[in-house]
Amino acid sequence: MHESRPRIGILGTGAIGGFYGLMLAQAGFDVHFLLRSEYEAVREHGLRIHSVPHGALHLESVQAYRDVADMPACDWLFVGAKTTSNAALAPLIAQAAAPGAKVVLLQNGLGVEEALRPLLPDTLHLIGGLCFICVHRDAPGVIEHQSLGAISLGYHSGPASASARQAVIDEGVAMFREAGLDSHAAASLEQARWQKLVWNAPYNGLSVLLRASTKALMDNPDGVALVASIMEEVVAVAQAAGHALPEGLVEKMLKTTRYMPEYLPSMYHDHAQGRPMELDAIYAAPLAEAARLGLEMPRTEALYRALLFISSR
């Protein structure tokens, strides 16, 4: 491996892991993909992205592995699996990591790094990755990319000193920018997670409960009012917890969503395909923080309880 090119591992080659892994590989990075059910399809046909902004992309020769023991040790590990898999993934992360590797969680929700940190060696850097993208898996090894693709990185914990942490994040940001993707460092990882949750909390759950896309919700005044009310609850708890969010964030997110392509969030696809929904990270965690602060999130809690009911069936 060339010294200037770190070895990258993708754990969870679904829509998120597949998209960012393919973009990095096409930029010339040494990328290795761990796959399970899609292994045969990707080995035979490669990895494809049908992208509105980038066109048809095809990584024909994929360094794919069914078993983590067959992977080379990686300097950067991007975890694209859902938060529901983190406990099971921890041993695989430790096995695939080179000494001092950087582990990036490309995941939604709160408390995901705090939950995974005790399960990893202290020698590994743990980084949060916030993905702003409309993407979903269409078939084994085939990804549909509708829009966006920016990624924000924030250092959570690990062996780097306070002064060295920025250099670690800058290295990651530079990799994504070289792959043609907008990327920047998050000033505060926790604040960035709360800010992204303002969007995720309403649209993910309501897409399942109401079987509605972003366009369907935004085309209906009752849908808009419901989305906005949940957003406001998240903002109120975030600010009470000490995380100042941008002025007018709710209005800005509503406007942005109204003009983005019609989109069904990841939770909709998880439910439709019989996979566990990320209810703990997206709903239980903020509700617990609200309770700690003596606040209530009645609409968010009602949505959470409805999703628990749906999940149990």
Side-chain angles (χ1 to χ4, degrees):
M1 180 180 63
H2 195 282
E3 288 184 356
S4 65
R5 287 294 190 191
R7 181 178 286 141
I8 298 170
I10 306 294
L11 304 183
T13 309
I16 292 292
F19 174 83
Y20 289 106
L22 185 149
M23 296 297 287
L24 289 165
Q26 290 211 326
F29 288 96
D30 182 23
V31 185
H32 300 258
F33 298 82
L34 181 67
L35 302 112
R36 294 295 175 87
S37 60
E38 302 190 18
Y39 174 80
E40 296 295 344
V42 172
R43 286 287 292 179
E44 183 175 354
H45 303 293
L47 196 58
R48 297 178 183 274
I49 297 178
H50 301 150
S51 173
V52 174
H54 301 294
L57 306 175
H58 184 204
L59 184 62
E60 188 171 358
S61 180
V62 180
Q63 298 184 105
Y65 308 85
R66 197 199 304 270
D67 191 331
V68 71
D70 297 327
M71 288 181 67
C74 296
D75 306 298
W76 284 81
L77 287 170
F78 293 97
V79 180
K82 296 298 173 67
T83 57
T84 51
S85 303
N86 281 359
L89 277 175
L92 306 185
I93 293 171
Q95 191 171 354
K102 294 89 173 176
V103 179
V104 184
L105 301 185
L106 305 178
Q107 299 176 330
N108 290 322
L110 302 181
V112 292
E113 290 85 14
E114 288 80 359
L116 185 61
R117 178 75 265 180
L119 306 179
L120 298 180
D122 294 340
T123 55
L124 300 183
H125 305 269
L126 187 57
I127 297 164
L130 288 304
C131 306
F132 303 89
I133 186 169
C134 295
V135 67
H136 69 273
R137 180 171 49 192
D138 186 55
V142 181
I143 297 165
E144 296 290 334
H145 174 223
Q146 294 167 266
S147 66
L148 307 176
I151 184 166
S152 176
L153 301 178
Y155 196 96
H156 178 268
S157 58
S161 64
S163 59
R165 292 182 175 190
Q166 189 61 47
V168 173
I169 297 301
D170 287 345
E171 181 185 351
V173 167
M175 288 195 302
F176 284 112
R177 288 181 177 175
E178 190 172 341
L181 298 166
D182 180 22
S183 183
H184 67 276
S188 163
L189 176 58
E190 195 169 1
Q191 186 271 351
R193 286 206 167 277
W194 274 103
Q195 184 166 327
K196 192 160 190 284
L197 187 69
V198 175
W199 194 95
N200 278 317
Y203 289 108
N204 269 280
L206 291 175
S207 73
V208 175
L209 183 64
L210 303 179
R211 299 181 183 180
S213 67
T214 53
K215 183 178 187 303
L217 288 167
M218 299 311 295
D219 283 350
N220 184 291
D222 293 316
V224 174
L226 183 55
V227 168
S229 66
I230 295 172
M231 285 185 170
E232 295 287 2
E233 289 183 352
V234 178
V235 168
V237 176
Q239 292 178 335
H243 307 294
L245 300 182
E247 191 77 22
L249 178 63
V250 170
E251 291 76 12
K252 181 180 179 181
M253 284 189 170
L254 291 173
K255 182 178 180 180
T256 299
T257 307
R258 184 172 282 111
Y259 291 105
M260 66 186 264
E262 185 171 15
Y263 180 59
L264 286 165
S266 60
M267 189 171 287
Y268 176 91
H269 294 285
D270 288 338
H271 174 63
Q273 296 174 30
R275 297 190 296 260
M277 295 183 285
E278 295 181 289
L279 302 184
D280 286 348
I282 295 179
Y283 297 103
L287 285 167
E289 181 65 4
R292 186 187 71 83
L293 295 167
L295 300 176
E296 293 183 350
M297 304 175 74
R299 294 170 184 82
T300 305
E301 182 167 3
L303 177 57
Y304 173 52
R305 298 296 176 188
L307 293 169
L308 286 174
F309 177 80
I310 290 171
S311 179
S312 71
R313 301 184 70 182

